[in-house]
Amino acid sequence: MPDRLRIPRPTAKRLSLYMREAGLRLRDGIGQISSRQLGETLGLTDAQVRKDLAYLGQSGQPGVGYPTRDLHDRIRHAMGTDQKWNAVLVGAGRIGRALLAYPSFDREDFRIVAVLDADPALAGQTMEGRRIWPMAEMSHLVREHGCRIGIIAVPREAAQAVADQLVRARVTGILNFAPRRVEVPASTCVISVDFTVALEQLAFEVNLASANGASS
Amino acid sequence: MPDRLRIPRPTAKRLSLYMREAGLRLRDGIGQISSRQLGETLGLTDAQVRKDLAYLGQSGQPGVGYPTRDLHDRIRHAMGTDQKWNAVLVGAGRIGRALLAYPSFDREDFRIVAVLDADPALAGQTMEGRRIWPMAEMSHLVREHGCRIGIIAVPREAAQAVADQLVRARVTGILNFAPRRVEVPASTCVISVDFTVALEQLAFEVNLASANGASS
DNA sequence: CTTTGTGAAATTATTCACAGCA
DNA sequence: TGCTGTGAATAATTTCACAAAG
């Protein structure tokens, strides 16, 4: 007996955006927000926004909009970000450093609690004020801090081995910044952030736009 | 008269992956690759791969597969990465540094040719061996190097202003790493890479999986 | 007069399944 | 036998359009 409707993946992505926007409004003391306003700031149609928000159950008031606080809380709950998500970061390179300093990775809900690197020379040093551990400590750190997430910020060649180690250490989710697919058992989730794909996607879009624009 | 079929966006994303894989095979001297092999390494069905590749026109050989070199070239052409894409990077922070050192941003097709930052104290300094320019130099640099792409690697609050400047400097594509939508005229393309959305997406997936897995 | 929630319609994307070629 | 290319079938997602509510 599912207590709520299954949320489609495209919707889940947009829910993140709605939540961020609701958070900003909340901070600014704005109590209501309409699907049209939300759509306008995010580049979506109002119908799309309403369909998405309807997955969270009735919450809007006709003629008024959605109460900011309630909206924010509902999305948080639906996304699971009302829980604590501790993460281990593997890779003390430049991407790892950027993530350590990134606000989203040091919030109440998400937090990088340990940094590891395969380079023995780095073990014991600090990065952005955090101590770097050797790889052998992974299972221990994951257990000690109750990490459910592992972040792969190592070069392509090392990514699969790191993924294997993370799975053995019993994380249930992996955020992968290496430019390749990592193979994991079905019980583990992977989300990849691929800079190269984004860049090539952009080239594709620009070409498409200029092809459409240039009609002699 | 369009000389080729319109490529759907999901397909375009996957084409990047196929191209990368073809490039790796090419480097290893493997001359052929089948839709099944491609699908296996990338986590897709063979039918999906074939449908996608069919947009590039006939190129596979029944019973054999796709010739690696030809496949790579065709995708390159379709994506527009057989052209040169110079980019200006705005933001000499930690994300900017990571991108500067990232292999994909210093290839024959893509290259970051200039770094800018709003902080006057950074102007004239170097980062990853590149000189940092003040914002006022943007138009000049874009024109001089023929940059078609601008990369936004600044905090949320500064992102829209940077986007406006990039548009004025006449870039046609923007790669946005700031966690917000940037508003641009329709003639400019934007692709966003949003770490926060990726992270929350992961939490969502993990929750979903554990909900499915745990049926008492 | 504005805005929600939602069935129905339209569009888009994926999977199936198989004829035809090497 | 192994594999491509592709119509047809299915599934997923978005848009439309409107009754009902503040």
Side-chain angles (χ1 to χ4, degrees):
Chain A
M1 45 166 175
D3 66 338
R4 237 189 338 281
L5 233 52
R6 188 203 144 260
I7 296 174
R9 216 163 296 207
T11 294
K13 262 193 200 142
R14 288 188 296 263
L15 286 178
S16 283
L17 303 175
Y18 304 149
M19 179 163 64
R20 176 187 291 160
E21 205 52 39
L24 291 170
R25 300 272 174 155
L26 201 54
R27 201 194 54 188
D28 294 349
I30 300 168
Q32 307 284 333
I33 187 167
S34 73
S35 57
R36 184 134 70 82
Q37 294 175 302
L38 226 24
E40 218 152 85
T41 39
L42 297 173
L44 306 164
T45 66
D46 54 332
Q48 174 87 86
V49 174
R50 287 199 300 280
K51 255 281 192 286
D52 288 340
L53 295 184
Y55 285 105
L56 308 175
Q58 193 107 352
S59 75
Q61 298 178 263
V64 183
Y66 301 83
T68 324
R69 158 73 68 188
D70 179 59
L71 186 62
H72 189 262
D73 289 353
R74 274 169 194 262
I75 301 177
R76 256 173 82 82
H77 182 69
M79 301 289 290
T81 47
D82 52 353
Q83 305 159 35
K84 243 192 164 312
W85 294 88
N86 285 340
V88 280
L89 168 65
V90 185
R94 280 164 283 224
I95 293 177
R97 177 186 296 268
L99 297 177
L100 268 181
Y102 201 74
S104 291
F105 293 88
D106 193 14
R107 302 194 312 204
E108 226 188 299
D109 44 359
F110 293 106
R111 176 159 282 131
I112 294 174
V113 297
V115 188
L116 299 96
D117 199 286
D119 182 352
L122 291 177
Q125 290 192 231
T126 64
M127 178 184 237
E128 300 290 323
R130 286 348 150 73
R131 173 164 184 182
I132 302 169
W133 298 87
M135 294 298 271
E137 294 295 322
M138 187 189 291
S139 291
H140 175 242
L141 288 164
V142 166
R143 219 172 321 115
E144 179 175 324
H145 294 101
C147 296
R148 286 191 283 170
I149 291 178
I151 303 173
I152 300 180
V154 301
R156 221 193 78 82
E157 298 73 32
Q160 183 59 56
V162 169
D164 293 344
Q165 286 178 274
L166 286 168
V167 168
R168 278 200 301 277
R170 298 253 189 289
V171 305
T172 45
I174 291 177
L175 190 57
N176 173 39
F177 286 88
R180 62 159 290 171
R181 189 171 97 98
V182 295
E183 204 100 41
V184 295
S187 55
T188 311
C189 302
V190 180
I191 295 283
S192 283
V193 177
D194 195 318
F195 297 167
T196 312
V197 170
L199 193 54
E200 292 177 353
Q201 193 66 8
L202 181 61
F204 172 77
E205 296 278 351
V206 169
N207 264 352
L208 203 70
S210 70
N212 293 353
S215 28
S216 56
Chain B
M1 43 165 181
D3 64 338
R4 233 186 345 277
L5 235 50
R6 186 199 146 264
I7 297 174
R9 217 161 297 208
T11 294
K13 262 192 201 144
R14 288 188 297 263
L15 286 177
S16 283
L17 303 176
Y18 304 148
M19 179 163 63
R20 176 188 291 160
E21 206 51 39
L24 290 171
R25 301 271 174 155
L26 200 55
R27 199 195 54 186
D28 294 347
I30 301 168
Q32 307 284 334
I33 186 168
S34 73
S35 57
R36 184 135 71 82
Q37 292 175 304
L38 227 23
E40 218 152 85
T41 39
L42 298 172
L44 307 164
T45 66
D46 55 331
Q48 175 87 87
V49 174
R50 287 199 300 280
K51 256 280 194 284
D52 287 340
L53 296 184
Y55 285 106
L56 308 174
Q58 193 106 353
S59 74
Q61 297 177 260
V64 183
Y66 301 83
T68 324
R69 157 74 68 188
D70 179 58
L71 185 62
H72 190 262
D73 288 352
R74 274 168 193 263
I75 301 178
R76 257 173 82 81
H77 183 70
M79 302 290 289
T81 46
D82 53 351
Q83 307 159 34
K84 243 192 162 311
W85 294 88
N86 286 340
V88 279
L89 168 66
V90 185
R94 280 164 282 224
I95 293 177
R97 179 187 295 268
L99 298 177
L100 268 181
Y102 201 73
S104 291
F105 293 88
D106 193 14
R107 304 195 309 205
E108 227 189 299
D109 44 358
F110 292 105
R111 178 158 280 132
I112 294 174
V113 296
V115 188
L116 298 96
D117 199 286
D119 182 352
L122 291 178
Q125 290 191 230
T126 64
M127 177 183 238
E128 299 292 323
R130 289 345 152 71
R131 173 164 183 183
I132 302 169
W133 297 88
M135 294 297 269
E137 294 295 320
M138 187 189 290
S139 293
H140 175 242
L141 289 164
V142 167
R143 220 172 319 118
E144 180 174 325
H145 295 102
C147 295
R148 285 192 283 171
I149 290 178
I151 303 173
I152 299 179
V154 302
R156 222 193 78 82
E157 299 72 32
Q160 183 59 57
V162 169
D164 294 344
Q165 286 178 276
L166 286 169
V167 168
R168 277 201 300 276
R170 298 253 190 287
V171 304
T172 44
I174 291 177
L175 190 58
N176 174 40
F177 285 88
R180 63 158 291 171
R181 189 172 96 97
V182 295
E183 202 101 43
V184 296
S187 55
T188 310
C189 303
V190 180
I191 296 283
S192 283
V193 177
D194 196 317
F195 297 167
T196 311
V197 170
L199 193 54
E200 292 177 350
Q201 194 66 9
L202 181 61
F204 172 78
E205 296 279 350
V206 169
N207 264 351
L208 203 69
S210 70
N212 292 353
S215 29
S216 55

